[in-house]
Amino acid sequence: MNIPANLKYTKDHEWISLDGEIATIGITDFAQKELGDIVYVEVETLDQKLAKDEVFGTVEAVKTVSDLFLPVAGEIIEFNDALESTPEIVNTDPYGKGWMVKVKVSNVSDMNELLSSDDYKALIGA
């Protein structure tokens, strides 16, 4: 199970990396394995300001549809357009090319409430 130490995690299985005030967000390796083959990623919140833990989109797999929760408050400034034609890259590269959105973070201190890689490993029993 790939759980990079340089990222933060949520109990809902999103990961986040922060560069200044811009965060990149996706779902974890664990989440994509649990979902199975991802066939569609929908984000209709582009250019919207959302609160922490608010739903910013959905990911659809062959078996189920799952909500995506924003780990920090902020404005959705970019959607990974590659997911429109090749959503399966979330399965093959969840921490790289399979990122989902970029967010201009409203409150960087929200990051302090997220899980470390060790905390996330404990949560999923890895």
Side-chain angles (χ1 to χ4, degrees):
M1 183 84 44
N2 184 12
I3 304 170
N6 63 320
L7 303 176
K8 292 285 197 167
Y9 300 88
T10 71
K11 292 178 181 170
D12 296 309
H13 311 291
E14 286 87 16
W15 61 264
I16 181 170
S17 69
L18 188 64
D19 184 8
E21 62 180 17
I22 305 300
T24 303
I25 298 166
I27 64 169
T28 65
D29 191 30
F30 175 82
Q32 69 81 18
K33 284 180 178 159
E34 290 292 304
L35 287 167
D37 293 336
I38 293 172
V39 295
Y40 189 67
V41 178
E42 181 175 50
V43 173
E44 293 185 345
T45 52
L46 193 60
D47 300 324
Q48 292 182 24
K49 288 186 178 178
L50 302 176
K52 181 181 185 303
D53 297 326
E54 204 168 339
V55 173
F56 72 85
T58 57
V59 61
E60 183 177 341
V62 173
K63 302 179 217 170
T64 188
V65 175
S66 185
D67 286 336
L68 298 166
F69 298 95
L70 199 61
V72 294
E75 181 181 354
I76 309 288
I77 59 170
E78 187 178 344
F79 171 67
N80 183 354
D81 291 332
L83 300 181
E84 297 259 347
S85 58
T86 54
E88 64 274 10
I89 59 177
V90 174
N91 292 116
T92 58
D93 192 9
Y95 301 113
K97 293 178 183 171
W99 65 272
M100 295 182 173
V101 294
K102 294 198 180 202
V103 175
K104 184 173 181 186
V105 178
S106 299
N107 186 359
V108 175
S109 67
D110 283 350
M111 293 289 290
N112 298 332
E113 298 173 30
L114 300 174
L115 303 173
S116 69
S117 60
D118 288 338
D119 293 337
Y120 186 69
K121 285 177 190 173
L123 175 76
I124 62 172

